[in-house]
């Protein structure tokens, strides 16, 4: 990767909520009403935060069947699917062969504060179910990035069936002593599956059809970039959480990388894990960025904090 442009000043941001240490926020989804849903890796809990009134997080559900939550995706409005397994950070264990997917129905949550939760599937052979992406709303199919095995699984939530769908070298984790993480974040855009490979420090894509089957070869769009998760904006730029270097990056649609916030030696965006844009007219240009507090790679070797939710105003980004 060529030397990235660093925005100075960085995009404006504010902390919406910070959890106590040690709390690792792993992923984020946004409801159509603007609420944020947060999965935690350090405890199997799903929380809700209202950006318009961030007085405190609301515990939506604790999943007693697992010890950690990972990916989350919405299929039908207010019906989300959450991954969980027995991951541990200290000592490191991916929790291989323990991952499950749960349905969390929030269609009546605003009235009675009670979600309808049920197990949808067990993921046999899955090493670490990480990023989730919607493949087909009509068919109820989801793609799941397996960071440990370095593959993509396809889950049909209506039938509870799971199959290994994509297995390419650019998804694999690197050998020790590198970060033991391969494919991490995944998104579909304009007929391509995009993914980050955290350990190999790749940002890639490959053509897929409506069933998720690949064609052609893998394109490595950027190298030497440590990306956890990412989201696309309306212009096709990928906003990426650069976890271990504590920054927010932008992989431009036309090529090249810009650092839009954070710093390797500051806690501002320490250990970014995922991000999503707002879904209402008031926050469509707000990027909600969640963190682990630097637990995997302490800032300056020693500084850590509780995971937090940061609202970043991208409205004036014009690069």
């Amino acid at each position: 990767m060529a030397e990235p442009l660093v925005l100075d000043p960085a995009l404006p941001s504010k902390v919406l909520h910070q959890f106590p240490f040690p709390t690792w926020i792993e992923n984020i989804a946004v409801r159509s009403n603007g609420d944020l849903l947060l999965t935690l890796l350090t405890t199997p809990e799903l929380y809700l935060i209202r950006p318009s009134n961030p007085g405190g997080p609301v515990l939506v559900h604790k999943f007693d069947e697992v010890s950690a939550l990972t990916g989350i995706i919405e299929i039908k409005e207010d019906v989300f699917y959450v991954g969980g397994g027995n991951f541990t950070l200290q000592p490191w264990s991916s929790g291989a062969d323990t991952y499950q997917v749960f349905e969390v129905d929030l269609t009546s949550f605003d009235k009675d504060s009670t979600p309808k939760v049920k197990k949808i599937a067990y993921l046999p052979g899955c090493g670490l179910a990480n990023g989730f992406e919607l493949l087909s709303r009509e068919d109820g199919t989801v793609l799941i990035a397996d960071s440990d095995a370095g593959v993509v699984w396809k889950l049909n939530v209506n039938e509870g069936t799971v199959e290994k769908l994509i297995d390419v070298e650019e998804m694999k984790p690197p050998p020790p002593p590198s970060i033991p993480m391969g494919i991490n974040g995944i998104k579909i855009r304009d007929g391509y599956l995009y993914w980050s490979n955290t350990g190999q420090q790749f940002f890639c894509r490959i053509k897929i059809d409506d069933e998720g089957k690949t064609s052609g070869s893998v394109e490595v769009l950027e190298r030497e970039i440590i990306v956890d998760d990412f989201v696309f904006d309306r212009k096709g730029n990928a906003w990426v959480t650069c976890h271990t270097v504590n920054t927010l990056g932008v992989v431009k649609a036309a090529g090249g990388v810009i650092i839009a916030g954070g710093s390797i030696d500051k806690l501002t965006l320490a250990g970014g894990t995922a991000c999503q844009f707002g879904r209402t007219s008031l926050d469509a240009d707000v990027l909600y960025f969640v963190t682990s507090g630097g637990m995997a790679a302490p800032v300056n070797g020693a500084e850590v904090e509780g995971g937090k939710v940061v609202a970043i105003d991208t409205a004036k980004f014009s690069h």
Side-chain angles (χ1 to χ4, degrees):
M1 180 180 73
E3 192 68 23
L5 171 68
V6 179
L7 291 189
D8 187 15
L11 294 176
S13 66
K14 64 178 180 179
V15 176
L16 290 185
H17 179 77
Q18 183 163 24
F19 287 85
F21 177 83
T23 303
W24 177 311
I25 308 172
E26 175 59 16
N27 218 313
I28 179 173
V30 184
R31 299 177 70 195
S32 58
N33 69 358
D35 291 350
L36 311 180
L37 294 173
L38 313 173
T39 65
L40 302 191
L41 195 68
T42 37
T43 185
E45 294 173 343
L46 178 68
Y47 280 92
L48 179 148
I49 285 180
R50 294 184 171 92
S52 59
N53 183 25
V58 175
L59 176 62
V60 176
H61 189 73
K62 182 171 184 178
F63 297 78
D64 294 329
E65 303 90 339
V66 294
S67 64
L69 299 185
T70 56
I72 181 170
I73 194 74
E74 183 182 33
I75 296 186
K76 300 174 184 176
E77 182 167 353
D78 258 349
V79 181
F80 295 83
Y81 294 84
V82 176
N86 294 337
F87 174 92
T88 58
L89 186 63
Q90 295 291 343
W92 172 276
S93 172
S94 68
D97 216 32
T98 66
Y99 285 90
Q100 304 173 50
V101 176
F102 304 89
E103 180 184 273
V104 181
D105 185 338
L106 300 180
T107 52
S108 62
F109 186 80
D110 295 334
K111 295 179 182 178
D112 58 21
S113 298
T114 304
K116 298 182 180 70
V117 179
K118 64 180 179 180
K119 177 182 169 181
I120 293 297
Y122 163 63
L123 305 179
C126 181
L128 173 50
N130 205 329
F132 282 35
E133 175 64 329
L134 177 64
L135 178 62
S136 171
R137 197 177 309 277
E138 294 73 21
D139 297 337
T141 49
V142 174
L143 301 185
I144 300 173
D146 186 337
S147 298
D148 185 66
V151 300
V152 171
W153 301 89
K154 180 180 177 180
L155 167 67
N156 186 308
V157 301
N158 297 324
E159 301 172 0
T161 55
V162 185
E163 63 174 304
K164 186 187 295 185
L165 186 66
I166 306 173
D167 186 346
V168 295
E169 187 61 32
E170 291 83 357
M171 293 180 174
K172 301 298 178 186
S178 299
I179 300 171
M181 298 280 289
I183 182 174
N184 195 327
I186 53 173
K187 295 290 183 292
I188 295 171
R189 182 178 174 86
D190 295 338
Y192 284 89
L193 176 69
Y194 290 77
W195 71 91
S196 59
N197 184 316
T198 305
Q200 293 201 55
Q201 301 181 31
F202 290 160
F203 186 68
C204 307
R205 73 175 186 177
I206 194 170
K207 284 184 178 179
I208 60 170
D209 63 16
D210 292 343
E211 297 294 320
K213 296 178 181 178
T214 63
S215 62
S217 56
V218 173
E219 298 176 62
V220 180
L221 303 175
E222 293 290 343
R223 299 176 185 269
E224 299 179 25
I225 181 170
I226 304 176
V227 176
D228 190 321
D229 210 340
F230 62 96
V231 66
F232 284 103
D233 65 16
R234 294 183 294 269
K235 297 179 181 178
N237 303 311
W239 293 73
V240 302
T241 62
C242 301
H243 187 135
T244 58
V245 294
N246 311 317
T247 57
L248 166 65
V250 184
V251 178
K252 294 283 291 177
V257 178
I258 295 172
I259 304 302
S263 174
I264 193 170
D265 60 352
K266 291 183 172 59
L267 286 165
T268 311
L269 299 176
T273 52
C275 57
Q276 289 287 348
F277 283 100
R279 292 179 62 182
T280 76
S281 59
L282 298 176
D283 65 355
D285 291 319
V286 175
L287 184 74
Y288 296 104
F289 185 106
V290 297
T291 80
S292 66
M295 290 176 62
V299 178
N300 299 315
E303 298 174 52
V304 292
E305 64 178 7
K308 61 192 179 188
V309 184
V310 183
I312 301 170
D313 186 354
T314 72
K316 294 184 179 178
F317 181 81
S318 59
H319 292 266

